[in-house]
Amino acid sequence: MFDTVIVGAGVAGLTAARLLHAAGRRVVVLEARDRVGGRTWTDRAPGFSIDRGASWIHGIDGNPLTGLVEAFGMPTVEFTVGSFQAGGRPIANYDEAHRQLDAAATDAWLADAEEVGARLAAAAAASGPGESYADVVERVLDELGWSAERAARARAFHRHRTEEQCGADGAEVDAHGLDEDAIDGDEVVFPGGYDALATALAEGLDVRLEHAVTVVSWSESGVRITTATESFDAAEVVVTVPLGVLKAGAIAFEPALPETVAGAIDRVGMGTFNKVFLQFPERFWPDGDYAIRRLGADSVPWHSWYDVSAVSGTPMLLTFAGGEWARRIEQMADDEIVASVLDGLRPIYGGALPEPTGHWITRWGSDPFALGSYSYVARGATYEDHDLIATPIGGVLHLAGEATWGDCPATVNGALLSGHRAAERVLGTSIPLERLVAGD
Ligand SMILES: Cc1cc2nc3c(=O)[nH]c(=O)nc-3n(C[C@H](O)[C@H](O)[C@H](O)COP(=O)(O)OP(=O)(O)OC[C@H]3O[C@@H](n4cnc5c(N)ncnc54)[C@H](O)[C@@H]3O)c2cc1C
């Protein structure tokens, strides 16, 4: 008999498990995959780190991950372009004619981006229920009355912003969907791989891999958690499976989840966001730039290539597909995707573009234990809906995970904080987050 069953060995589940274990609870973690980490997943097969899931700490100031990764001895490298910004760090921007913007043109573009950003914040604040992010972008562009080319550049930039930040298209995202998108301080990545965090959190815990949960039965006197081969009885359960898994009904809740929780699960969106890493024989892009970016209407579908050579230790560009395009590439063969990405770069580099020597492509939407990449405020939903998903049920059933943390959904820190909150609710007392580090 266990006190607590934790479903899912991602950052949320492992955080809850570790804090409860440290408080003396008998805890077991049931994980469907053959590894821990969930959507933090480092592929080391090529001899260097490829983070197929999360890469960044999106702002190290005031972020609970900052101290934790330091305590766990995880090396970081500053790489402040992880959120979709127009500037802040050197980006080689290319115009509609595929010429690199000079300093004056870059300043003009950044001023435009800033102006649209400020007006968007006001337009979102004044938006009506059910209006989308794309709606408010259009309203702002109407107000500005810019030339077609200037407006198209701003429109494309904001299109890519929701694709990257939400894994969804602007028409799918609520007008408020990027309200919480603040970055405090530098962003950093992990040359040794992000999944070292999950490995450290899992140390000393009873984690059962390849244990896909199919049924969660609950009553006020306890829970029974069922996998294909076993059942686990406990006083309470913390379910941390991704929102996509909850939406698909892959776990049966008996009795069904109350409407407060089920309604919020329906309203919050699950986005799709995929990564394409291309390894090259040499760096053919300018030194010192964090990213190569195409601007304007032709920047579809590929627009930004991030230089992650410092992470992998080999010449490497990383590009992203989000929303509808991310869902489409999951149906394409690898070679077709690589050729398509190169077609996006060729107008800039022409014959100087070498053939890649390696590629790594993710398909998170088709992954049965994720069914998407991360959650977002879908049209008509609110940030409060994220937190409603975590409403305690019958004093014994708690949901956690990035999708349940309204302050910063879609992040590793959101997952961590949601696991912390679940552990506190189980114990009915506050727990210092520092307890995550062994010996504290
Ligand atoms: C491509 C990509 C890039 C990202 N980039 C960033 C980034 O740069 N920075 C950032 O902060 N965040 C990023 N994120 C988001 C971040 O990875 C997630 O928010 C976070 O890892 C989620 O943690 P979690 O514990 O909530 O969920 P998960 O990590 O998904 O953990 C849930 C676990 O439940 C398991 N599970 C599923 N079904 C079952 C079942 N039936 N039974 C048992 N177990 C089950 C899963 O296998 C998984 O291990 C990215 C995500 C993706 C996909």
Side-chain angles (χ1 to χ4, degrees), residues 83-228:
S83 312
F84 197 66
Q85 301 105 318
R89 290 294 187 278
I91 295 176
N93 288 299
Y94 289 84
D95 69 10
E96 293 73 4
H98 319 303
R99 290 174 310 227
Q100 187 170 355
L101 265 50
D102 62 17
T106 302
D107 287 348
W109 158 237
L110 293 180
D112 276 5
E114 201 169 311
E115 164 122 49
V116 175
R119 284 178 184 250
L120 259 177
S127 66
E131 280 199 271
S132 73
Y133 188 82
D135 292 335
V136 289
V137 169
E138 286 311 313
R139 183 164 325 134
V140 165
L141 293 176
D142 282 349
E143 267 168 36
L144 286 165
W146 285 347
S147 70
E149 185 169 276
R150 205 169 160 199
R153 210 181 255 194
R155 184 179 293 113
F157 178 78
H158 284 281
R159 169 188 177 142
H160 300 322
R161 192 161 171 240
T162 63
E163 288 167 348
E164 290 206 1
Q165 301 300 92
C166 307
D169 297 335
E172 300 174 298
V173 176
D174 193 80
H176 291 282
L178 288 173
D179 285 1
E180 303 292 322
D181 194 34
I183 299 297
D184 295 318
D186 285 349
E187 294 177 277
V188 298
V189 290
F190 297 91
Y194 215 144
D195 71 353
L197 174 62
T199 305
L201 289 172
E203 207 187 311
L205 297 178
D206 181 354
V207 181
R208 315 275 174 100
L209 300 177
E210 298 183 283
H211 275 60
V213 169
T214 51
V215 183
V216 171
S217 309
W218 61 276
S219 72
E220 288 184 7
S221 55
V223 297
R224 169 166 290 183
I225 312 303
T226 307
T227 69

Side-chain angles (χ1 to χ4, degrees), residues 386-402:
H386 284 278
D387 292 294
L388 279 182
I389 299 174
T391 309
I393 300 165
V396 296
L397 167 54
H398 302 267
L399 268 58
E402 59 81 13

